[in-house]
Each structure stands twice: as C-alpha cells, then as structure tokens.
Amino acid sequence: MRRPAPSAATLRHLWLAALLLAIIAQALFLYRVGVPNQPVFDEVHYVKAARILGEMTGPANIEHPLLGKMIILAGIKLFGNTGFGWRFFSTLAGTGTMLGVFAITWLLTGRVRPSVMAAIFALTNFLLFVQARIAMLDGFMAALVMGGLAATLWAMHGTRRGETLARLVLAGAFFGLGVGTKWAALPFIGMAGLLVIVAKAAQGKARGGAPAGFAGIGMAAALAVLGSVSALVYVATFAPAFFYSAEPLTAANFIAFHERMYAQQTQVLPPHPYQSVWWSWPLDLRPVWYLYEPVDGVQRGILLVGNPVILWGGLLAVAACLYGWWKHGTHELGIAALLWLGSIGMWVVIPKKIGFFYYYYLPSLFLCVALALAFAHFGQKRFRHADLVFGGISLAVFAYFFPILSAAALPEPQAFQRWMLLSTWP
C-alpha cells in the first residue's frame, strides 16, 4: 500500500497545482459572497448562536458543539456583522475541503493529474460551491474531516515511527476538531481506524514481509493515538462554555450537557418541505432552496442541488472502483469506493428524524475521488483523455447553473423553471 517517494520534479508540479487550484477556488468562493446581506436558510440559527457565544451569556443552539459557531463569530469580529463577515471563513473551509480532495487523491495514486481532476470535479459538483458560501457548520466539518482522512493516509505512508506518530496525531487533531463542529464527523474516526486495522493486518503478508503501512507503530498504539487525540481535542473545543455567565459548563455536568445535545438531535420534528431520505440523495432527487426571494429589488436564488454529471457519473465510478478492486486487487480503488459507501451508509443508522440533501455534502466529494481514480485506472489508450472531456462537461453544466447557485440577479420570479431538470426539483 506504500509507494516509492516521488521525485523532486513531481513534488514541484504537485505544489504548483495545489497553489493554483487554491487561488482559483478562493476567488470563486469569495465572488459576491456577501450577497445577500441577510441570513439565508440555517444561517438564521448559527449566526444568531455565534453572536450569543460572543456575549458569553449562556448556551445557545445546544444541538451542536461550539467550534463551528466560534469560527463564524471570528468572521463577525474581523469583518463585521454582515454577510461577508458571517461567510468569510466558510470560503476558506471550502478551499480547504477542495485541497483535502486533492490531497486524498494524491495519497491514493501518487499522480498529479488524477489529483487535479478530483479537485476540478469537486469545484464543479455544485455542493462545494454552495456550502463554501454559507455560514453553516457542515462546511467547517467537511474541511476538518478531509484533513483528518488525508493525514491518516499520509501516516499510512510513514517510513519510521516518529513520522507515522506525528501524522496520526495530526489526523486525530483534525478529527477532534471536526466532531467539535458537528457530531456527524464521528463515524470518520471509525473509518480511519478501520484503515489502520486493515493495513496492520496486512503487515508481513507483502512479499519479503515488507510493512504494509503505518511503519514503526503497532495497531493498538495507532488506534490509541487516533482515539485519544481526537477525544482530547474534542473536549478542548468546549473551553469557552466553562466561562458562560449563566449555566456554565463544568466537569460535573459535562456528561449531562451531552445528553441534552443528544436529546436535541434525536427529537421528533414537524415535517419540512425540503426533507428527504438518504437513498434519494445519490439520485439528486430533492434539492433545497437556501434562498428564493426578491433581494435588493431583484429576484435571487441559491439552490443546493448536485451537478448531475458528477452525482450520477460518480455512482458509475464507485461501481468501477469496486470492480477494479475485486478484479485487480487495487487497494486504492477499494478505499475510494469505501469512502463513499461509508459516508452515505452512516446516514442509514444515524438516529435523525428528518434528513436533508446537504447531508450528502461529504459523500458527494468522495464521488469526485472515485471518479478521478476510475479514470486514472481504466482510462487507457483511446480513453486517456476521457477525464478531461468529463471535466469539461461538468464545468459547462456548472456554468449553466451558476446563476441559481450564486444568488445572481434573475430576470423574473419564474426564471428558476429553466433549471428544473427533474419533476421532483422544487
């Protein structure tokens, strides 16, 4: 599962590609991000909670941990109580998420081109763009989860104990911060732990007894590092709550507070017009209007919908990755497929009473990894440019939908009809 170290020239190309992609993504996410200058969709909850957190008067929005709201508060403190202030750090999280997709693909393939293509697929999958421009917790969680998974794969390529250990600590820190943003990050610690178990179980089975991954550290120790660092960092994210003027958090009521959080997350809620079930998300059946109303004298809309090219094509890519894993024993293809299967499968068992399409944000990004790996593995000879053609089509569809992804001015109230591809779309 480990590969030889890349050449200096390859690393130069890698860093240059990452830098250019980051500049493009950040510029795209920042474009008119302050429009509308009013809370949209769940911003009404999180921006309000961030302001209360800044006053330190007591708990608010206790359904979720504190970190994401602290990040929104930081934007308000730096740039003011405006749309730009609320959303600025979401744009950075979006760029970080894209770079996480890039890094994961690089660590799986050791090749620059698939890594760039995965990042392009992510930039044009619609969900990344929309979530990078709204003050919601999911954007921060996604960036941190991607960082944790990338650091875990990086640790798998470690060649000595100190190197592997430091990377596992980094992974645990990312995961702890992710759970400190939203509990939905928790299953990804399990996925990282499963990767450790599989890699260490293969130890010695490679020819000549060569290590399969996570060199210099045993399975139990690696799992202990991941788990303990994640837990310690998670607990640390609650530090501000110990200083509330009313109902401060204490060591004695820490468990009880989490019981209240769990009760809030599993409570029975009234039906919502945009709710959907998990199996409908991969099919792109029920998007969500984050905004559709007159703003500043013109009609504007923000529709959270998936790019059909990526979402539907990505399902074929997952199937291709599973086939390549079974047929050729290519572990990297298996990891790509299992990342998507695990990230969608967890919503089958998570005790949520109502689901929404934005829960598919992370699985949609793993589709981009699966697409890049499938094209890299199967795109040979006549099909060697298939990834570029696919990426071009995805970019064209992104450009077509851009007005209702970005709150651009629309000509009239019924203008949205031109983008409604399916009868189930609102």
Side-chain angles (χ1 to χ4, degrees), residues 39-48 61 64 72 134-138 182 272 290 356 358-359:
V40 300
F41 197 59
D42 278 358
E43 284 183 339
V44 296
H45 304 299
Y46 302 129
V47 172
K48 178 182 177 181
N61 184 241
H64 298 294
I72 295 171
I134 186 170
M136 289 174 60
L137 307 183
D138 300 75
K182 200 169 184 181
H272 192 284
Y290 281 3
F356 295 94
Y358 64 82
Y359 293 173

Side-chain angles (χ1 to χ4, degrees), residues 261-350:
M261 290 174 63
Y262 181 79
Q264 288 283 317
Q265 293 202 25
T266 55
Q267 65 180 315
V268 177
L269 298 172
H272 192 284
Y274 293 135
Q275 71 184 66
S276 55
V277 292
W278 67 269
W279 56 261
S280 70
W281 305 335
L283 302 177
D284 211 4
L285 294 181
R286 189 60 177 161
V288 178
W289 279 116
Y290 281 3
L291 172 79
Y292 200 79
E293 62 185 68
V295 177
D296 302 326
V298 296
Q299 185 72 39
R300 300 183 188 274
I302 302 173
L303 182 66
L304 183 77
V305 65
N307 185 332
V309 175
I310 299 294
L311 265 62
W312 298 341
L315 296 179
L316 296 177
V318 169
C321 286
L322 288 171
Y323 172 79
W325 182 29
W326 170 73
K327 184 72 173 179
H328 307 123
T330 309
H331 298 296
E332 292 79 8
L333 294 175
I335 292 172
L338 291 175
L339 282 173
W340 180 81
L341 288 169
S343 61
I344 183 67
M346 72 185 200
W347 291 107
V348 181
V349 296
I350 287 179

Side-chain angles (χ1 to χ4, degrees), residues 35-376:
V35 177
N37 192 31
Q38 65 186 49
V40 300
F41 197 59
D42 278 358
E43 284 183 339
V44 296
H45 304 299
Y46 302 129
V47 172
K48 178 182 177 181
R51 293 171 185 156
I52 294 173
L53 182 60
E55 298 166 358
M56 297 296 289
T57 53
N61 184 241
I62 64 170
E63 178 181 349
H64 298 294
L66 302 184
L67 183 60
K69 290 162 281 189
M70 292 166 61
I71 297 172
I72 295 171
L73 174 63
I76 294 173
K77 293 290 188 181
L78 284 173
F79 303 109
N81 188 22
T82 65
F84 183 87
W86 310 329
R87 301 172 190 137
F88 174 76
F89 282 105
S90 292
T91 68
L92 292 181
T95 299
T97 300
M98 181 217 61
L99 290 175
V101 171
F102 179 88
I104 288 170
T105 309
W106 161 257
L107 289 162
L108 288 175
T109 64
R111 296 168 58 189
V112 176
R113 177 165 166 171
S115 307
V116 171
M117 295 311 302
I120 292 173
F121 297 154
L123 277 176
T124 58
N125 85 339
F126 295 4
L127 285 92
L128 175 59
F129 177 78
V130 174
Q131 289 300 122
R133 293 162 53 85
I134 186 170
M136 289 174 60
L137 307 183
D138 300 75
F140 306 125
M141 180 196 70
L144 293 163
V145 165
M146 287 296 182
L149 291 172
T152 304
L153 289 170
W154 195 28
M156 187 178 72
H157 293 291
T159 57
R160 56 185 184 276
R161 178 179 175 81
E163 189 175 74
T164 302
L165 182 61
R167 295 172 185 180
L168 283 172
V169 169
L170 179 63
F174 271 124
F175 285 130
L177 293 171
V179 180
T181 302
K182 200 169 184 181
W183 280 0
L186 186 60
F188 293 95
I189 304 177
M191 292 185 198
L194 181 61
L195 179 61
V196 171
I197 292 170
V198 171
K200 299 309 289 186
Q203 187 93 32
K205 292 184 179 180
R207 183 173 297 178
F214 302 98
I217 188 169
M219 181 192 300
L223 294 174
V225 169
L226 266 179
S228 60
V229 172
S230 298
L232 289 171
V233 171
Y234 171 74
V235 171
T237 64
F238 284 88
F242 287 82
F243 300 96
Y244 289 155
S245 57
E247 299 184 66
L249 194 62
T250 66
N253 66 17
F254 190 78
I255 300 299
F257 182 79
H258 278 71
E259 290 173 348
R260 289 175 61 194
M261 290 174 63
Y262 181 79
Q264 288 283 317
Q265 293 202 25
T266 55
Q267 65 180 315
V268 177
L269 298 172
H272 192 284
Y274 293 135
Q275 71 184 66
S276 55
V277 292
W278 67 269
W279 56 261
S280 70
W281 305 335
L283 302 177
D284 211 4
L285 294 181
R286 189 60 177 161
V288 178
W289 279 116
Y290 281 3
L291 172 79
Y292 200 79
E293 62 185 68
V295 177
D296 302 326
V298 296
Q299 185 72 39
R300 300 183 188 274
I302 302 173
L303 182 66
L304 183 77
V305 65
N307 185 332
V309 175
I310 299 294
L311 265 62
W312 298 341
L315 296 179
L316 296 177
V318 169
C321 286
L322 288 171
Y323 172 79
W325 182 29
W326 170 73
K327 184 72 173 179
H328 307 123
T330 309
H331 298 296
E332 292 79 8
L333 294 175
I335 292 172
L338 291 175
L339 282 173
W340 180 81
L341 288 169
S343 61
I344 183 67
M346 72 185 200
W347 291 107
V348 181
V349 296
I350 287 179
K352 296 288 287 186
K353 301 301 181 182
I354 292 181
F356 295 94
F357 182 62
Y358 64 82
Y359 293 173
Y360 196 60
Y361 180 33
L362 272 167
S364 78
L365 297 170
F366 296 129
L367 287 179
C368 302
V369 177
L371 278 163
L373 265 72
F375 279 122

